[in-house]
Amino acid sequence: MALRGVWQLQKLVVNYCDWGGSSRGIRAFMEAHLPAFKEKNPHLEVVTELVRGQHPNLKGIYKNHNERVVCVRNLPPEDILLQATRLRNSLGRKVVKLRTRHVTKRPSVQGTWTTDLKM
């Protein structure tokens, strides 16, 4: 995703195995979809790495020095293209878990609502 007009994904690393069965889809993705993906995204550095005996994955390296790794084991080429597009579109920020479901700057003066009624 572009933040102030600048794409945040710097580098996309494609790790695959040349003989493993779980890498069948990523090998087909590299032949069919990867050249067009590189052409549509000239700002993006795409690197392929041969890692034998490991399951395939996509690693996105962002401008804020964060990394996201997505396992693409046994996925068809179309789903791998979808995962690569999702990595490109994300900002690369860490996921922040909220403490409560309701976030407000001014909490209630009466206190939190409970089901216990005292009569």
Side-chain angles (χ1 to χ4, degrees), residues 49-112:
E49 291 181 356
L50 176 64
V51 182
R52 290 192 169 168
Q54 299 291 323
H55 290 298
N57 60 23
L58 299 174
K59 183 192 297 185
I61 301 171
Y62 294 90
K63 292 196 185 239
N64 57 4
H65 306 293
N66 285 339
E67 292 183 359
R68 284 195 179 175
V69 179
V70 178
C71 182
V72 290
R73 175 179 59 195
N74 295 325
L75 289 181
E78 294 79 22
D79 290 347
I80 296 173
L81 178 63
L82 179 67
Q83 293 295 331
T85 307
R86 285 182 180 164
L87 283 174
R88 183 203 61 193
N89 290 343
S90 71
L91 290 175
R93 294 180 178 160
K94 296 287 183 183
V95 177
V96 178
K97 186 174 179 181
L98 300 175
R99 288 187 212 125
T100 61
R101 288 187 285 165
H102 181 73
V103 178
T104 180
K105 291 183 180 178
R106 295 185 184 94
S108 173
V109 178
Q110 299 173 349
T112 58

Side-chain angles (χ1 to χ4, degrees), residues 30-57:
M30 290 187 336
E31 291 175 4
H33 300 288
L34 192 60
F37 186 77
K38 283 183 182 180
E39 199 173 295
K40 287 181 182 177
N41 301 295
H43 63 279
L44 185 60
E45 179 185 355
V46 179
V47 179
T48 58
E49 291 181 356
L50 176 64
V51 182
R52 290 192 169 168
Q54 299 291 323
H55 290 298
N57 60 23

